[in-house]
Amino acid sequence: MENVPVNKVDILAFAGKWYTLYSIPMLVDKHWRQTTETYIIHPDGYYAVFTTYRIPEEEKRRFVRSKLFVVAGTKNTMFKAQFIWPFRIDYWVIELADDHSYTVIGHPKHKYLFIMSRKPGLPEELLAGIFDRCNKKGYDTSRLVSQQHVINVTEEVTH
């Protein structure tokens, strides 16, 4: 399988809250757990991203803000993520459920990987398939780290 973005992403449907379930982390987020990202369409044409996370040894949640810019001509499948101005990194949508219930974010050189869902968990069979496809695309899935989301009945029903 080739490590390429999906054919098209609906910007409006992609907005909203995502739970990062597993990741091959970057240097900045290697100690983050229970990470969520909320994508809000900014009037200037990018996503304002609000990320919350926990450091395992700490009680309180932390947050960071960042931006996601669409790469022109990619049908909204390639982005540049900006955590610190002026630096931007590649952020590719390499898998996306038709109903936008989950997505997989990758990098052209396999540097990181994020498996994200609209809920704090996915069925094991679906996750196994995602892991397998990512492995076939060249990602070292043995490096995937669980974000350790706690799933409770109330959360499952209300989201």
Side-chain angles (χ1 to χ4, degrees):
M1 286 183 148
E2 219 177 331
N3 182 38
V4 294
V6 296
N7 293 327
K8 183 180 176 187
V9 172
D10 178 330
I11 283 292
L12 293 176
F14 199 72
K17 185 174 183 177
W18 292 97
Y19 292 82
T20 302
L21 304 181
Y22 289 88
S23 65
I24 295 176
M26 298 181 286
L27 187 60
V28 67
D29 64 349
K30 69 180 180 181
H31 298 294
W32 298 3
R33 297 296 178 269
Q34 299 176 7
T35 305
T36 64
E37 294 186 2
T38 303
Y39 298 166
I40 300 165
I41 299 171
H42 192 277
D44 290 342
Y46 60 85
Y47 283 122
V49 181
F50 186 76
T51 303
T52 66
Y53 63 95
R54 244 195 198 102
I55 304 290
E57 301 78 37
E58 298 178 7
E59 260 316 293
K60 68 177 184 169
R61 290 188 70 76
R62 295 180 178 207
F63 70 92
V64 296
R65 291 186 176 106
S66 59
K67 297 176 181 178
L68 262 184
F69 298 92
V70 173
V71 175
T74 67
K75 296 183 181 177
N76 310 322
T77 64
M78 294 181 188
F79 295 85
K80 292 287 187 176
Q82 184 177 62
F83 297 95
I84 301 170
W85 185 86
F87 305 104
R88 294 183 183 184
I89 60 171
D90 290 308
Y91 185 99
W92 286 9
V93 180
I94 62 169
E95 191 169 325
L96 180 63
D98 291 339
D99 64 356
H100 289 77
S101 59
Y102 76 89
T103 189
V104 181
I105 306 301
H107 184 272
K109 295 183 179 172
H110 306 92
K111 289 183 179 181
Y112 54 79
L113 185 70
F114 300 96
I115 299 171
M116 303 190 311
S117 172
R118 296 296 188 176
K119 296 180 180 181
L122 285 173
E124 287 300 319
E125 191 174 298
L126 176 57
L127 273 173
I130 294 169
F131 277 44
D132 184 55
R133 289 186 295 277
C134 290
N135 195 40
K136 288 177 179 170
K137 291 178 183 183
Y139 290 91
D140 180 359
T141 55
S142 70
R143 294 179 48 220
L144 282 168
V145 175
S146 169
Q147 285 290 308
Q148 304 168 350
H149 283 284
V150 178
I151 301 172
N152 63 44
V153 175
T154 307
E155 217 169 357
E156 191 67 30
V157 171
T158 61
H159 288 97

